[in-house]
Each structure stands twice: as C-alpha cells, then as structure tokens.
Amino acid sequence: MTKRKTSGQVNKLKRYKLILDLYNKYKTDDIPTTVVWKKYICPVYPISRTTLYEVLNTPVYRELAKLENLVD
C-alpha cells in the first residue's frame, strides 16, 4: 500500500474511533442507536445513519494497529 493511501486510511480510522468513543459514551440499553446518532453524533460529525452502522461494524482498533505496524 502506498504511503498516501495508508495515511488516508489511518485518518479515516481515527475519525471512526472518535465517533465510536462518542457513541459508547451515550449508548445505554434503554437509548436506541438512532437517538444517540441524532442527538449526540450528528451535531458533531454530520454523518448518515448508514455511515454510523458502517463505523459500528468496522474493527477500528484492529485495523489501526495493523496500519500503524505497516507505517513503522
């Protein structure tokens, strides 16, 4: 993978990590995902609900570790 492509992927995964941190901060059993997305995530990161589900299904920490080992 080229350095440019790798750095873009790392930046995307870091943004995903920030979104996940925000999601985990407010998500509880009695609050639906769509409410967390609408009230807390959308004002900070204007993403669609589909993108949120993509973020939630991405193994962010594993992918970040893999890419950071490639860069080193």
Side-chain angles (χ1 to χ4, degrees):
M1 217 185 292
T2 65
K3 183 171 174 68
R4 183 175 182 174
K5 188 172 182 180
T6 304
S7 64
Q9 191 76 354
V10 169
N11 287 335
K12 180 179 89 168
L13 289 170
K14 286 181 180 178
R15 186 172 57 250
Y16 279 13
K17 182 180 175 292
L18 293 172
I19 293 168
L20 274 176
D21 292 342
L22 194 57
Y23 175 81
N24 289 329
K25 181 178 178 181
Y26 294 107
K27 178 66 174 133
T28 60
D29 290 337
D30 58 335
I31 300 176
T33 298
T34 53
V35 173
V36 173
W37 165 72
K38 193 173 192 176
K39 287 179 73 174
Y40 303 110
I41 295 174
C42 243
V44 180
Y45 302 102
I47 60 172
S48 68
R49 196 178 63 187
T50 305
T51 303
L52 175 62
Y53 289 125
E54 180 182 320
V55 170
L56 295 176
N57 288 318
T58 303
V60 174
Y61 296 102
R62 183 175 36 174
E63 293 294 321
L64 263 175
K66 190 187 317 179
L67 286 174
E68 287 174 352
N69 286 336
L70 273 176
V71 173
D72 292 341

